[in-house]
Amino acid sequence: MSTLTVEKLKKRYGNKLVLDGVDLEVPPQGLTVIFGGPGSGKSTLLRIVAGLEAEDAGTVWLRGQDVTRAAPQDRRLAYVPQNFALYPQMTAFENIAYPLRLKRQPSSTIAPLVREIAQTLRIEDVLNQRPDQLSGGQKQRVAIARGLIKRADIYLLDDPLIGLDYKVRERLVEELRDLQERLGAIFLYATSDPLEALVLADFIVVLDQGRVVDSGQPNALYEAPRHLWTRLNLGFPLTNAVSGTLTKVADGWQVATPWFRTAVEIERPDDGERAVWATFRAERLTVDPPQDGSLLTFSAEIVLEEDIGAETVLYLVGGGTTLYSVVPHREGEAPKLGTVTVGLRPDDVMLYDSSTQMAMGRGVATDGRG
């Protein structure tokens, strides 16, 4: 069974530490996504695994073997870079076949492989066309096909869909997911797109400032990540985060924010008051909620509605900050601007330490008065 592990990888460019002791064990099956913002170290990590860059410290293991000093061609993996330029004088077929021709494989072997991957990526009808005759989405599919044509048990894909419009990306995400399942190989896929990460991944590794700050299955990371950066960035629209103060009270702990106060359960309690971030997902914030005492309720002013299809994003102002709420879209309903009551389940509130940015606990059920 194929395996991919890196231990304590470090990489510096001048004074900038790009990778800061990265440890990563990729699950032997499924599609693993490295999710992080620009400059988080995603591309550098993949290039080091591919053997295209040298690490300053650390070890790369492939299939149980130390390949840290091995040449790229000896690592037996396929790498799809972020910018994969096509040869303008070649047809799509010739571009895809080029890596196999470099290995001097016979045409009788190359042709069926090209047509197979072209069919998977839905470009079999443009194989005789040159790049200047292709659309942007078709060019990207050809580039991806060329990167994947070399059969391997480990594939590294460095944000290959960046720059494409949303609809094209959506289709290609589905096709890459299908391809990974059919090949049964390890796919290590880097992206800065949170929706792409959630849709593609069987397992997500979150990279921030050169460090792994979170890892786990998509649902687990979406619901209860251990790091604030993951909570704020993995998902759409943005997660609400309001500053608050955690204090000890007679019967436990309480967090107070400009919007609400509520009892909380703390994972590692101590006696110190501290600054925290109280976070909650936009879809958990309801407008005109039932007044049954089960919710935290407070007033806010809707200043903007943004229609995103099946749902509407509400921008709410109050308490010195802006909050986001997602509600089902109702065709023909007039925008509802002005002051409203909003509600939130206390246990939908997750707390993060303002200093360490690590998860501390979450709210517990109250009578909704704050």
Side-chain angles (χ1 to χ4, degrees):
M1 183 177 291
S2 301
T3 57
L4 192 169
T5 304
V6 302
E7 296 177 348
K8 297 179 173 52
L9 278 190
K10 289 192 175 185
K11 181 66 178 180
R12 184 183 295 274
Y13 296 129
N15 294 325
K16 182 176 176 57
L17 186 60
V18 181
L19 296 179
D20 187 9
V22 170
D23 289 313
L24 172 64
E25 184 173 351
V26 178
Q29 295 179 332
L31 197 152
T32 298
V33 167
I34 300 177
F35 172 66
S40 60
K42 304 185 303 296
S43 295
T44 301
L45 175 57
L46 289 192
R47 288 180 60 81
I48 288 175
V49 173
L52 301 174
E53 288 195 31
E55 68 294 323
D56 294 329
T59 310
V60 178
W61 299 83
L62 297 178
R63 308 172 194 91
Q65 300 294 317
D66 182 353
V67 298
T68 311
R69 298 290 175 263
Q73 62 270 22
D74 296 329
R75 301 194 180 198
R76 295 184 289 122
L77 48 75
Y79 172 68
V80 181
Q82 194 173 102
N83 299 309
F84 209 129
L86 300 177
Y87 297 107
Q89 74 279 14
M90 294 183 180
T91 65
F93 182 100
E94 292 165 340
N95 266 284
I96 297 170
Y98 186 71
L100 301 184
R101 296 200 189 285
L102 283 179
K103 297 176 69 174
R104 301 187 182 280
Q105 292 196 18
S107 297
S108 59
T109 300
I110 292 173
L113 291 175
V114 171
R115 297 192 185 283
E116 178 186 356
I117 197 157
Q119 184 175 17
T120 298
L121 293 171
R122 302 182 189 179
I123 50 173
E124 65 269 27
D125 56 339
V126 301
L127 288 177
N128 293 324
Q129 298 179 23
R130 289 188 299 274
D132 61 0
Q133 300 171 297
L134 304 177
S135 69
Q138 289 169 335
K139 290 178 184 177
Q140 199 74 1
R141 291 168 193 253
V142 171
I144 292 171
R146 188 170 73 181
L148 300 180
I149 190 68
K150 185 175 70 171
R151 285 294 184 259
D153 56 354
I154 299 174
Y155 292 81
L156 310 178
L157 299 96
D158 185 9
D159 218 348
L161 308 185
I162 193 170
L164 296 179
D165 67 71
Y166 178 74
K167 282 298 181 184
V168 174
R169 289 182 73 146
E170 192 174 42
R171 288 195 298 271
L172 282 173
V173 162
E174 295 173 0
E175 290 159 12
L176 285 172
R177 182 78 183 144
D178 177 69
L179 181 63
Q180 186 278 321
E181 290 176 353
R182 289 199 302 105
L183 293 176
I186 287 178
F187 270 42
L188 186 58
Y189 185 105
T191 182
S192 56
D193 186 308
L195 297 184
E196 200 169 279
L198 289 169
V199 171
L200 267 174
D202 294 301
F203 192 82
I204 298 176
V205 176
V206 182
L207 205 60
D208 182 43
Q209 298 181 357
R211 294 183 177 182
V212 174
V213 296
D214 253 317
S215 62
Q217 295 180 336
N219 286 345
L221 285 188
Y222 184 81
E223 291 297 334
R226 66 188 183 99
H227 199 275
L228 179 63
W229 193 93
T230 311
R231 180 72 164 170
L232 297 182
N233 291 279
L234 189 61
F236 176 85
L238 296 176
T239 297
N240 295 300
V242 295
S243 59
T245 302
L246 179 70
T247 56
K248 190 87 165 63
V249 293
D251 54 353
W253 292 85
Q254 184 182 80
V255 64
T257 79
W259 295 87
F260 57 81
R261 67 176 62 233
T262 187
V264 292
E265 289 183 342
I266 302 302
E267 296 173 359
R268 294 176 296 276
D270 57 34
D271 295 328
E273 178 178 299
R274 69 183 65 191
V276 296
W277 289 103
T279 69
F280 43 96
R281 295 285 184 187
E283 66 270 21
R284 307 293 171 83
L285 193 63
T286 58
V287 176
D288 295 331
Q291 301 296 314
D292 59 5
S294 65
L295 303 178
L296 303 169
T297 58
F298 46 92
S299 295
E301 183 182 1
I302 300 177
V303 296
L304 178 65
E305 287 194 347
E306 187 174 44
D307 185 355
I308 58 172
E311 297 172 321
T312 299
V313 179
L314 304 179
Y315 294 75
L316 304 123
V317 173
T321 55
T322 299
L323 300 182
Y324 308 95
S325 175
V326 176
V327 297
H329 175 71
R330 296 179 178 86
E331 193 69 37
E333 187 177 86
K336 184 178 180 179
L337 304 181
T339 301
V340 294
T341 299
V342 292
L344 176 67
R345 285 177 54 93
D347 52 350
D348 283 333
V349 178
M350 280 198 67
L351 294 188
Y352 291 83
D353 188 295
S354 293
S355 298
T356 66
Q357 300 192 350
M358 302 302 291
M360 295 186 63
R362 66 190 318 144
V364 295
T366 70
D367 62 5
R369 295 192 300 269

